[in-house]
Amino acid sequence: MKALSAINSSNPCLSKTHFLKVPIFHPFFRFKPFSHSYSIHVRGAKTALTPSFTINCKLKTSHDIKSKEKSVSQKIVLSEGSPPPLTEDGDTNGENVPESSQKKESPFGVVRMLRRKTLQILSNLPLAIGEMFAVASLMALGTFIDQGEAPDFYFQKYPEDHPVFGFFTWRWVLALGFDHMFSSPIFLGVLALLGASLMACTYTTQLPLIKVSRRWLFLHSAEAIRKQEFSESLPRASIQDVGTILMGAGYEVFLKGPSLYAFKGLAGRLAPVGVHIAMILIMAGGTLSATGSFRGSVTVPQGLNFVVGDVLAPSGFLSSPTEAFNTEIHVNRFYMDYYESGEVSQFHTDLSLLNMDGKEVMRKTISVNDPLRYGGITIYQTDWSISALQILKDNEGPYNLAMAPLQINGDKKLFGTFLPVGDINSPDVKGISMLARDLQSIVLYDKEGKFAGVRRPNSKLPINIDGSEIVIVDAIGSSGLDLKTDPGVPLVYAGFGALMITTCISYLSHSQIWALQDGTTIIVGGKSNRGKMEFPEEMNLLLDKVPEIVESTLGG
Amino acid sequence: MVFLTLEHILTHISFSVVSILISIHLITLLLFKEIIGLSDSSKKGMIITFFCITGLLFTRWFFSSHLPFSDLYESLIFLSWTFSILYIVPYFKKHKNYYLNTIITPSVIFTQGFATSGLLNEMHESLILVPALQSHWLMMHVSMMILGYATLLCGSLLSVAILVILFQELIQIIGKSKNFYFLNESFSFAVIKYINISEKKNVFKKTFFSSYRNYFRSQFIQQLDHWGYRTISLGFIFLTIGIISGAVWANEAWGSYWNWDPKETWAFITWTIFAIYLHTRKNKKLEDINSSIVASMGFLIIWVCYLGINLLGIGLHSYGSFTPN
């Protein structure tokens, strides 16, 4: 037994022996193949003198055994030719396998070696962990130090005579660029290094892992199986029964002679590769966003126009304007919704997009959380203010009075304007003050500063103050719009989608089971990469189901 | 008015039930005995708490006509609801998870206690939603984030427990004070309790007590470690989805999927720390103590991310700040 398995591991071409071996070593073999197909390949012209033959036996599994099982599509594969079985007697980590295959002598040997060395260093796990720690702590620092202030602010906050922690002064902040942490060279450098590590790790250890795990790793010695995290020996059992039961539990089962290999949840092992690729996608998208986008913001009073290209400013060297930048945008209407209590609940802007000929190409009412997208440009509703009051004075007008923001404290806004009364050229001119918090109501004060009344726009209700009759015709709002183009978004979104899916799949546990028929006994061993506690329980449950073979039933 | 009374009743019921549960746990801890009736009642109590908090959330939802995620009080209530969900879900599966349950009950009382304490009293009336929060993403983002926080907190608490057990001897030497002594006792009790449970299964393993105890101690640590790992992996999924949905929402509402806003940054720091934890698990050399240390750091960082940033009241996520606006 041991001698044969040694031959097997040295030469995979000898797999033909298994077919011959089966009846000799396993007198209890109850397998009734429907059809056998022998295919003989002559190994190419290179070995013309001593052609070696590979005989693959394709045994269609007998469905009468397995018809009880739920899924018919699954079948026990009996040593099909296509993926070469990789025989490995030790621990099957598979992470150190692909190294040797890349070694090829070439004139660029030095370059090659250097490349391999860098890859090796970059894909080092402790280094990657260190980089992640560095990124995390820099980000934390970036939230503790106020960002984007003028240098004076840092002179005062981190003075040289009272250094924070005894050494941290404004010199550190400004020299290291910590006043704009998230665009500072140090932070970006560490992030780039992390990205490089991510790519190196994906390239050197993860992608080869896919290749390795597609192979079937049969184990041919009882010791190797017993070394697994879980192992058990079943006396008087047949390996086919084990295979059937494992298949019923959702395992992919492969049988080759006396040895069995089964696995479940392979996706759980491969998904981390996807997580890394998704992270690389997001980082690439982020870089593209940072270097190739345009953004800008504008406050437009209702009824006015602006051209997209005038507002947008490039953010990096890859930013290039498009045809859509010539679009002119007309603010048809700006209005707000209110709660019953009078608070602003939502604000909307009705926008028309006009092309160079002045034709309307698109029209949409946008609001917060509902932007407009046209030709790669996205227009967001972000802010509002009141630009002017339209009034009639003594039935003359209408006059437009510009409103100025008086107090901006959080979301509570206040705008005001002033209508002079009497001699405008006198040094102490007095007049009527009008204040508004939103477009709903205007509060008026007379020239002494006393409260005179509240009027709603559109109400047409005149108010008499200091002898002049005033009608508030309308309050004209202006809409605060943010515009941007961002070529990185599709890439980032693709990365987001992939990241969500692959992290979910990563939760699955990859379980592998090996079994070997040794006389009448079966040695079963297995391991699982995540569900280490549940796996032995599941195995015990499954193996309890394996029928014991009694002498009298052996005839068939 | 009806709404307020109903809310008060539900809050008080859930709070007092959880307090009773805590005292039950303390009693079993002090008496060094497993009283079957009591542990059964603690399960029932958690189910009652679960229904109370669910009711509370629904009344708030119904009367404010938006999902109850808009301020710190509501998110804390939701956090304790998530904890109780984490307790309930394994209860219906046949796989009993003894360790998680011991950790969840105190967690519920702390969050529930903090939410109902006077500290946050002014925030109890439900507020109106500002325009930016009126989005379907609100539900997705907040629920996933809080679910992630809750799961990660449970998982990292298991890691903290491992650290406490591992450094038991150290604590014994350093801290002769009574507080430490009590902690110490409770954890060695946990080990003994675990031995008792396992004893029923393995009657044969009767060796010298010291080695016997060491064996079970390492087994206990292994179990804690494993469950911590599984819980954190699950929480990591929720956190990932939460952060991503937040980013997509930000891209819809503010025009950029990432703004380096403090809350965002801290969520990303949390994500990075737990990514480090998951990576330390890959390396055999780093696995034991180091991964537990990383997870315990994660525990602190979640609290900084969840409460600390709100207390500072900066950035877009200033929903729970104590500064009046």
Side-chain angles (χ1 to χ4, degrees):
Chain A
M1 185 65 221
K2 285 222 74 182
L4 266 171
S5 63
I7 295 166
N8 283 338
S9 56
S10 62
N11 189 354
C13 289
L14 281 175
S15 57
K16 59 181 175 184
T17 49
H18 290 289
F19 189 67
L20 302 170
K21 225 162 59 187
V22 166
I24 303 167
F25 282 87
H26 306 286
F28 317 124
F29 197 63
R30 290 184 292 151
F31 216 73
K32 282 183 235 156
F34 280 142
S35 64
H36 316 190
S37 68
Y38 298 90
S39 60
I40 301 174
H41 304 284
V42 180
R43 278 286 170 91
K46 291 174 205 162
T47 53
L49 284 174
T50 53
S52 70
F53 295 94
T54 316
I55 303 173
N56 290 328
C57 51
K58 287 180 183 165
L59 297 178
K60 286 271 156 40
T61 47
S62 49
H63 282 274
D64 52 355
I65 295 177
K66 264 131 272 158
S67 56
K68 297 162 213 157
E69 303 304 330
K70 291 166 225 160
S71 58
V72 193
S73 63
Q74 288 182 330
K75 58 182 178 188
I76 295 183
V77 184
L78 272 179
S79 180
E80 264 180 37
S82 41
L86 186 96
T87 319
E88 209 177 332
D89 278 358
D91 190 22
T92 53
N93 263 336
E95 278 166 35
N96 43 10
V97 175
E99 285 297 311
S100 57
S101 60
Q102 291 180 351
K103 279 182 188 166
K104 271 181 194 168
E105 288 304 317
S106 78
F108 304 106
V110 182
V111 181
R112 220 169 250 273
M113 206 186 74
L114 232 119
R115 210 193 67 175
R116 211 174 51 235
K117 269 266 147 54
T118 5
L119 279 180
Q120 224 165 28
I121 292 168
L122 278 176
S123 56
N124 185 5
L125 184 63
L127 178 77
I129 289 174
E131 284 161 3
M132 283 196 267
F133 265 122
V135 168
S137 42
L138 281 178
M139 285 193 293
L141 204 59
T143 55
F144 287 130
I145 300 173
D146 297 72
Q147 299 288 299
E149 303 281 345
D152 273 348
F153 176 85
Y154 300 103
F155 296 156
Q156 280 176 12
K157 189 133 191 208
Y158 306 99
E160 277 197 298
D161 39 342
H162 297 293
V164 185
F165 306 126
F167 67 94
F168 197 80
T169 62
W170 60 266
R171 280 181 198 283
W172 286 78
V173 176
L174 294 184
L176 297 173
F178 285 174
D179 55 330
H180 51 94
M181 173 66 81
F182 303 113
S183 56
S184 72
I186 291 181
F187 181 69
L188 293 180
V190 176
L191 217 54
L193 201 63
L194 184 62
S197 280
L198 202 63
M199 278 188 263
C201 175
T202 311
Y203 180 71
T204 58
T205 67
Q206 289 203 303
L207 288 181
L209 196 69
I210 296 179
K211 268 187 220 155
V212 171
S213 44
R214 268 177 49 215
R215 293 180 196 160
W216 314 326
L217 308 154
F218 289 100
L219 292 182
H220 292 287
S221 79
E223 266 95 286
I225 293 177
R226 285 214 182 86
K227 256 190 268 166
Q228 299 301 324
E229 282 160 15
F230 170 86
S231 72
E232 186 90 47
S233 54
L234 302 172
R236 289 196 296 282
S238 123
I239 201 146
Q240 268 71 38
D241 291 337
V242 175
T244 319
I245 281 161
L246 286 178
M247 215 172 53
Y251 282 85
E252 300 266 345
V253 181
F254 304 97
L255 259 177
K256 194 177 74 172
S259 39
L260 172 145
Y261 171 61
F263 68 82
K264 187 164 84 168
L266 183 64
R269 165 146 293 185
L270 301 183
V273 186
V275 173
H276 281 205
I277 292 172
M279 285 307 292
I280 292 171
L281 268 180
I282 292 172
M283 282 178 134
T287 316
L288 195 59
S289 290
T291 54
S293 60
F294 285 87
R295 48 183 67 245
S297 58
V298 64
T299 307
V300 203
Q302 174 179 310
L304 293 186
N305 295 6
F306 69 98
V307 178
V308 171
D310 298 345
V311 175
L312 288 172
S315 70
F317 61 93
L318 282 177
S319 312
S320 64
T322 60
E323 191 68 14
F325 278 41
N326 297 319
T327 314
E328 195 171 359
I329 293 172
H330 180 76
V331 178
N332 298 315
R333 190 167 164 239
F334 172 77
Y335 60 100
M336 296 200 271
D337 294 341
Y338 305 93
Y339 286 110
E340 279 170 30
S341 57
E343 310 254 2
V344 176
S345 81
Q346 185 61 277
F347 33 107
H348 309 265
T349 311
D350 182 3
L351 296 174
S352 281
L353 272 63
L354 313 168
N355 66 6
M356 282 178 88
D357 309 326
K359 250 201 204 153
E360 187 179 273
V361 286
M362 193 176 174
R363 184 171 181 159
K364 189 184 174 183
T365 303
I366 64 168
S367 56
V368 181
N369 277 316
D370 187 15
L372 176 149
R373 292 194 168 86
Y374 172 75
I377 301 166
T378 319
I379 303 171
Y380 299 92
Q381 176 79 71
T382 49
D383 204 4
W384 61 271
S385 62
I386 303 174
S387 70
L389 271 188
Q390 220 167 43
I391 60 158
L392 292 174
K393 187 189 174 195
D394 301 326
N395 286 322
E396 285 172 41
Y399 300 109
N400 273 354
L401 301 178
M403 295 283 269
L406 296 182
Q407 170 206 354
I408 295 174
N409 181 11
D411 281 338
K412 298 263 196 282
K413 303 187 179 204
L414 182 63
F415 299 88
T417 191
F418 178 75
L419 176 67
V421 177
D423 184 15
I424 298 165
N425 296 323
S426 78
D428 52 337
V429 63
K430 288 186 172 176
I432 303 160
S433 317
M434 301 171 206
L435 298 180
R437 284 208 176 277
D438 47 49
L439 299 173
Q440 284 182 114
S441 53
I442 316 294
V443 190
L444 297 108
Y445 297 87
D446 66 13
K447 63 182 177 188
E448 305 299 325
K450 276 190 215 145
F451 174 75
V454 178
R455 284 294 173 271
R456 282 178 172 274
N458 314 324
S459 68
K460 306 266 175 7
L461 197 70
I463 182 166
N464 256 310
I465 305 170
D466 302 324
S468 50
E469 193 189 71
I470 287 166
V471 178
I472 292 173
V473 180
D474 201 2
I476 297 165
S478 58
S479 172
L481 302 173
D482 266 19
L483 283 81
K484 71 146 194 185
T485 66
D486 195 341
V489 165
L491 213 55
V492 171
Y493 273 27
F496 280 171
L499 186 63
M500 281 200 275
I501 294 165
T502 49
T503 34
C504 289
I505 298 173
S506 297
Y507 191 69
L508 292 178
S509 184
H510 180 221
S511 313
Q512 289 167 291
I513 294 167
W514 292 269
L516 189 69
Q517 182 103 45
D518 187 10
T520 58
T521 315
I522 291 178
I523 299 130
V524 184
K527 62 173 184 177
S528 173
N529 67 339
R530 293 196 180 85
K532 290 198 195 303
M533 294 290 152
E534 301 97 322
F535 181 66
E537 284 173 31
E538 190 202 343
M539 282 301 293
N540 282 328
L541 274 176
L542 285 177
L543 293 181
D544 282 346
K545 285 191 214 158
V546 175
E548 197 171 322
I549 293 170
V550 190
E551 290 294 326
S552 59
T553 61
L554 291 176
Chain B
M1 231 19 245
V2 182
F3 155 63
L4 274 180
T5 350
L6 194 59
E7 199 190 306
H8 268 277
I9 290 168
L10 288 170
T11 322
H12 286 282
I13 289 176
S14 54
F15 189 72
S16 35
V17 168
V18 183
S19 331
I20 292 165
L21 290 185
I22 287 285
S23 10
I24 288 173
H25 275 271
L26 276 179
I27 287 165
T28 47
L29 200 66
L30 292 174
L31 292 180
F32 288 77
K33 243 184 248 166
E34 181 85 32
I35 303 160
I36 296 153
L38 280 181
S39 81
D40 197 46
S41 69
S42 85
K43 274 171 203 153
K44 278 177 189 145
M46 274 310 282
I47 292 172
I48 293 170
T49 320
F50 170 72
F51 281 115
C52 282
I53 301 176
T54 317
L56 181 63
L57 284 173
F58 268 105
T59 41
R60 277 191 89 92
W61 188 4
F62 185 71
F63 282 96
S64 66
S65 68
H66 61 78
L67 283 168
F69 295 147
S70 59
D71 59 13
L72 189 59
Y73 171 72
E74 287 175 347
S75 78
L76 272 170
I77 296 282
F78 188 68
L79 185 67
S80 49
W81 183 76
T82 325
F83 277 130
S84 54
I85 267 254
L86 287 178
Y87 187 98
I88 301 282
V89 169
Y91 182 71
F92 286 115
K93 274 167 70 175
K94 54 186 171 188
H95 209 92
K96 290 282 185 306
N97 198 336
Y98 171 79
Y99 316 103
L100 266 184
N101 294 353
T102 347
I103 274 175
I104 287 169
T105 328
S107 308
V108 174
I109 200 171
F110 282 127
T111 48
Q112 193 73 359
F114 185 59
T116 40
S117 70
L119 191 63
L120 298 162
N121 235 351
E122 318 107 69
M123 293 203 284
H124 282 212
E125 324 92 58
S126 46
L127 301 161
I128 48 157
L129 279 184
V130 296
L133 289 183
Q134 295 166 21
S135 169
H136 297 297
W137 288 104
L138 175 69
M139 191 183 84
M140 173 95 170
H141 173 58
V142 180
S143 62
M144 278 296 152
M145 285 310 275
I146 303 241
L147 207 57
Y149 288 155
T151 327
L152 287 174
L153 283 175
C154 288
S156 49
L157 271 177
L158 290 174
S159 289
V160 173
I162 294 174
L163 276 188
V164 173
I165 294 170
L166 282 175
F167 288 108
Q168 212 173 5
E169 287 86 15
L170 210 70
I171 293 168
Q172 241 160 5
I173 296 159
I174 298 167
K176 294 266 178 196
S177 62
K178 275 171 190 170
N179 306 341
F180 276 125
Y181 180 72
F182 179 71
L183 246 180
N184 204 0
E185 277 299 293
S186 66
F187 272 98
S188 45
F189 170 64
V191 175
I192 292 166
K193 206 166 172 185
Y194 177 73
I195 295 171
N196 288 336
I197 295 164
S198 318
E199 212 165 9
K200 290 163 198 162
K201 294 177 195 163
N202 315 299
V203 203
F204 304 107
K205 285 173 183 162
K206 292 272 178 190
T207 40
F208 292 107
F209 185 72
S210 60
S211 64
Y212 177 64
R213 201 185 139 155
N214 268 339
Y215 169 73
F216 278 110
R217 212 184 79 153
S218 71
Q219 280 268 303
F220 181 54
I221 288 173
Q222 226 173 41
Q223 290 256 333
L224 280 180
D225 193 44
H226 173 74
W227 286 114
Y229 175 57
R230 290 303 268 173
T231 319
I232 286 177
S233 322
L234 191 67
F236 192 71
I237 295 174
F238 292 133
L239 190 70
T240 312
I241 296 175
I243 291 176
I244 287 177
S245 57
V248 173
W249 181 16
N251 195 32
E252 286 294 304
W254 292 291
S256 175
Y257 49 84
W258 203 261
N259 280 319
W260 297 112
D261 170 78
K263 187 92 171 175
E264 262 174 15
T265 312
W266 275 94
F268 190 45
I269 291 171
T270 317
W271 192 86
T272 319
I273 290 292
F274 284 104
I276 292 171
Y277 171 82
L278 295 179
H279 279 89
T280 52
R281 304 291 307 221
K282 289 275 155 224
N283 196 328
K284 285 271 183 311
K285 270 184 240 156
L286 297 171
E287 199 166 340
D288 296 328
I289 290 186
N290 288 307
S291 62
S292 307
I293 291 173
V294 172
S296 317
M297 278 168 60
F299 178 73
L300 295 177
I301 284 170
I302 294 172
W303 283 115
V304 172
C305 176
Y306 180 55
L307 288 178
I309 299 298
N310 287 350
L311 296 185
L312 292 175
I314 39 177
L316 293 167
H317 295 79
S318 57
Y319 53 86
S321 61
F322 291 111
T323 48
N325 34 344

